[in-house]
Amino acid sequence: MEYKIADYKTEVHNDWCAGCGDFGILNSIQMALYDLQILPHEAVIFSGIGCSGKTPHFINTFGIHTLHGRVLPFAQGAKLANPKLKIIAVGGDGDGLGIGSGHFVNAGRRNIDITYIIYNNGVYGLTKGQASPTLKLGMKTKSLPQPNVNESINPIALACISGFTFIARGYSYDVRYLKEIIKKGIMHSGLSFIDILQPCPTYNDINTKEWYQSFTIDENNPKVRIPKIYKLEDEGYNGLVTNNDEASAKIMAAIDKANEWEDRIPVGIFYENNTVPTFEDRLQTRINNYPDYPPAVQNIMDDEGNPNTNIDRLIDELKAVKKG
Ligand code: SF4
Ligand code: MG
């Protein structure tokens, strides 16, 4: 039976502000799941706290709305417990790169096969627009009494040096292209990160839809308009690592591209490395039957509900310590 796009939607009322970029991201995730025909009961969407945290309410898969900054521990734990699930973690820039930044970096070290999506709008939208870690230094959005006094984090660059093996960026109003990026992220074997530029029309009055979709004029030919957002592949960029020896050079190239901002902003796949073992692969070298016998399929009690765990040896050792 083929699932329809409607099968990936819920009836839950959506109270995001009119014109919010979150709608495009939601549609892209639903369309990606539909295109890939990932069955609703085989996918789980986890979210942190923020406007984006409501995403699992609107997608008809399993879903858990977790704690502020803690979406990655939940998502990684679920994948390790049941590696057959397709796991997507979502959250805002404040959630993932402020309080959650330690989890971001350490997830990169593991390379667990999940997809992490950040809705990046430069502000803490749910709490009235304070400066988030991705707001550029010196910017004064409408909720700030004075310009932002902190340097910003570049999420793509941080993912590059943390060890993510698929790193991409999309734009929330280019839904068809974003859907393709999300599909590639889901199908990648390893930890995927997708940074999505998401206008917040309510609190970020600088990086608006009009700003992202603006043009500059070619100084050599005034008739040519150069769009601010461009696709990396259209300009010959290729971030795919085919041999691990070239990984360092590709990471440096990705960071260099990620630093482009203002007049030109690239979207697409910055870095992709399929040569790194996943955490699950490494686990299997210690626990041979892990893929067939992960925690989710193990019995934890007998028919009477008694735990199967045998702690006799532990008790014996404790007794010996007490005696000794
Ligand atoms: Fe979207 Fe901003 Fe409204 Fe949140 S506050 S729903 S991010 S427009
Ligand atoms: Mg935000």
Side-chain angles (χ1 to χ4, degrees):
M1 166 187 156
E2 181 172 306
Y3 279 77
K4 302 186 187 69
I5 186 74
D7 295 323
Y8 295 88
K9 300 183 178 183
T10 68
E11 300 288 313
V12 177
H13 170 70
N14 190 323
D15 62 355
W16 285 332
C17 309
C20 176
D22 287 2
F23 288 102
I25 303 173
L26 173 63
N27 288 337
S28 302
I29 296 172
Q30 287 164 328
M31 287 160 64
L33 292 169
Y34 163 72
D35 276 9
L36 296 170
Q37 285 291 296
I38 294 171
L39 307 187
H41 68 276
E42 291 176 345
V44 194
I45 316 276
F46 291 85
S47 67
I49 298 297
C51 298
S52 59
K54 298 170 190 167
T55 304
H57 303 231
F58 309 133
I59 302 181
N60 186 30
T61 60
F62 288 111
I64 300 183
H65 191 161
T66 74
L67 305 173
H68 196 209
R70 309 295 174 223
V71 65
L72 283 173
F74 277 84
Q76 291 171 97
K79 183 68 182 182
L80 290 181
N82 188 351
K84 290 201 168 71
L85 293 172
K86 286 286 181 203
I87 304 279
I88 300 175
V90 304
D93 42 341
D95 178 270
L97 299 166
I99 187 173
S101 54
H103 296 304
F104 187 96
V105 170
N106 285 287
R109 294 168 55 220
R110 297 190 189 99
N111 196 33
I112 295 178
D113 183 19
I114 64 172
T115 304
Y116 182 37
I117 296 174
I118 283 188
Y119 298 31
N120 183 357
N121 55 22
V123 294
Y124 286 88
L126 191 69
T127 52
K128 306 276 182 252
Q130 298 87 348
S132 87
T134 58
L135 193 72
K136 304 286 184 202
L137 175 69
M139 277 180 61
K140 186 186 169 314
T141 49
K142 64 204 244 189
S143 289
L144 303 183
Q146 294 189 44
N148 181 24
V149 73
N150 290 310
E151 279 288 359
S152 59
I153 286 176
N154 184 321
I156 300 274
L158 187 62
C160 283
I161 57 169
S162 299
F164 286 67
T165 49
F166 178 98
I167 301 166
R169 182 194 278 150
Y171 172 55
S172 63
Y173 290 112
D174 188 349
V175 172
R176 294 206 172 275
Y177 186 68
L178 181 56
K179 173 193 78 168
E180 295 304 326
I181 294 276
I182 293 173
K183 280 164 63 179
K184 286 178 181 154
I186 292 173
M187 296 314 292
H188 171 71
S189 178
L191 182 61
S192 311
F193 171 59
I194 304 168
D195 175 38
I196 303 180
L197 306 172
Q198 175 252 313
C200 166
T202 304
Y203 293 113
N204 188 333
D205 53 342
I206 297 174
N207 305 127
T208 59
K209 183 179 181 183
E210 292 70 29
W211 184 83
Y212 279 118
Q213 294 178 204
S214 63
F215 294 81
T216 48
I217 303 295
D218 186 341
E219 54 190 29
N220 299 318
N221 186 350
K223 287 187 182 155
V224 175
R225 301 198 311 163
I226 304 168
K228 188 189 293 287
I229 292 183
Y230 74 93
K231 297 186 175 75
L232 286 166
E233 68 263 30
D234 288 350
E235 302 208 353
Y237 179 91
N238 181 359
L240 179 66
V241 173
T242 50
N243 172 341
N244 214 28
D245 290 346
E246 60 190 26
S248 298
K250 294 267 180 176
I251 284 172
M252 295 311 293
I255 292 173
D256 202 38
K257 275 286 166 199
N259 282 327
E260 280 187 27
W261 194 252
E262 288 297 336
D263 288 347
R264 305 222 69 203
I265 300 178
V267 293
I269 300 170
F270 285 71
Y271 180 77
E272 181 178 0
N273 188 342
N274 300 307
T275 70
V276 180
T278 62
F279 189 81
E280 298 89 309
D281 293 335
R282 280 177 263 151
L283 210 51
Q284 197 185 348
T285 63
R286 294 191 187 178
I287 309 169
N288 289 339
N289 63 351
Y290 168 67
D292 302 319
Y293 200 55
V297 301
Q298 294 178 23
N299 282 331
I300 57 170
M301 59 187 173
D302 64 21
D303 292 343
E304 270 81 50
N306 302 308
N308 283 343
T309 314
N310 184 342
I311 58 170
D312 290 350
R313 208 181 90 198
L314 182 64
I315 291 170
D316 289 346
E317 283 178 11
L318 282 173
K319 281 180 184 164
V321 169
K322 270 191 182 171
K323 268 190 197 163

